[in-house]
Amino acid sequence: MTPVKKNMKRLVKAVVISDVHMGTYACKAAQLTDYLKSIHPETLVLNGDIIDAWQFSKRYFPTAHIKLMREMLKMMEAGTKIYYVAGNHDEMMRRFAGMTLGSFSVVNKVLLTLDGKRSWIFHGDVFDGYMHRLKWLARLGAQGYGMLAILNKAVEQTLRFFGKPRV
């Protein structure tokens, strides 16, 4: 039996990641970076809301978010095909649909064939009527979510300070 190297990455056919919301306090960039470091996918689908343009602030884009972007670039350099499907929070990327740069493509949808089965991947906002007709309501909801994320972080830190488990 051959020993497994500690830094050996698990080979996978496809990984779909959605709603990362980089640029917000709710983003779990460090955890996602750790996961991406453990795998080598043939295809990576970034399925919308990767960067949150609705709540993006020049004042908040921590090192963990940059490390996540760097890890995705390393995957691309290692041969992973990356598709970026725009979502509602990063809809500005839709204007670049059809653009390809090496193994990185911006698309509106992805049709993957895995083990002889086809999967159609797109961001769910295409079915959201509020998103298309009442953008102000969708953005208000995003602001409320952002405030809850900050409150959640404060509660988690307080619990950790008192030695209590996460809620």
Side-chain angles (χ1 to χ4, degrees):
M1 191 162 163
T2 308
V4 178
K5 293 181 181 176
K6 187 176 181 182
N7 61 355
M8 195 109 150
K9 294 186 176 198
R10 187 167 47 101
L11 299 175
V12 292
K13 289 194 183 239
V15 172
V16 180
I17 297 171
S18 180
D19 295 276
V20 178
H21 293 275
M22 281 194 284
T24 69
Y25 293 102
C27 180
K28 303 290 186 198
Q31 294 89 335
L32 182 54
T33 302
D34 288 343
Y35 172 68
L36 291 178
K37 284 181 177 182
S38 73
I39 60 172
H40 180 72
E42 289 177 21
T43 303
L44 173 63
V45 178
L46 302 174
N47 193 19
D49 297 352
I50 304 305
I51 295 176
D52 195 323
W54 287 7
Q55 297 183 57
F56 187 84
S57 166
K58 290 184 217 174
R59 289 175 275 138
Y60 185 77
F61 203 80
T63 305
H65 297 203
I66 294 168
K67 286 180 179 179
L68 174 58
M69 293 175 76
R70 203 175 295 142
E71 188 60 34
M72 287 188 257
L73 286 171
K74 285 180 189 176
M75 293 174 96
M76 192 172 73
E77 289 172 352
T80 298
K81 175 71 178 159
I82 300 179
Y83 294 99
Y84 194 113
V85 180
N88 49 320
H89 288 251
D90 53 9
E91 63 191 337
M92 75 286 190
M93 292 297 289
R94 287 194 172 115
R95 72 179 80 162
F96 300 105
M99 184 193 85
T100 299
L101 184 63
S103 60
F104 177 84
S105 299
V106 180
V107 295
N108 287 321
K109 61 185 174 286
V110 177
L111 183 62
L112 292 181
T113 302
L114 301 168
D115 296 329
K117 296 179 183 174
R118 295 180 354 159
S119 298
W120 188 27
I121 302 169
F122 49 89
H123 196 71
D125 70 308
V126 296
F127 298 111
D128 186 352
Y130 287 106
M131 173 59 218
H132 299 288
R133 290 190 306 274
L134 301 170
K135 283 194 183 215
W136 68 268
L137 185 59
R139 289 181 188 258
L140 181 64
Q143 292 297 321
Y145 178 79
M147 287 188 289
L148 284 174
I150 292 169
L151 178 62
N152 183 59
K153 197 170 215 169
V155 168
E156 295 287 329
Q157 288 173 345
T158 303
L159 289 171
R160 193 174 20 242
F161 177 78
F162 289 108
K164 302 287 184 187
R166 293 179 63 191
V167 177

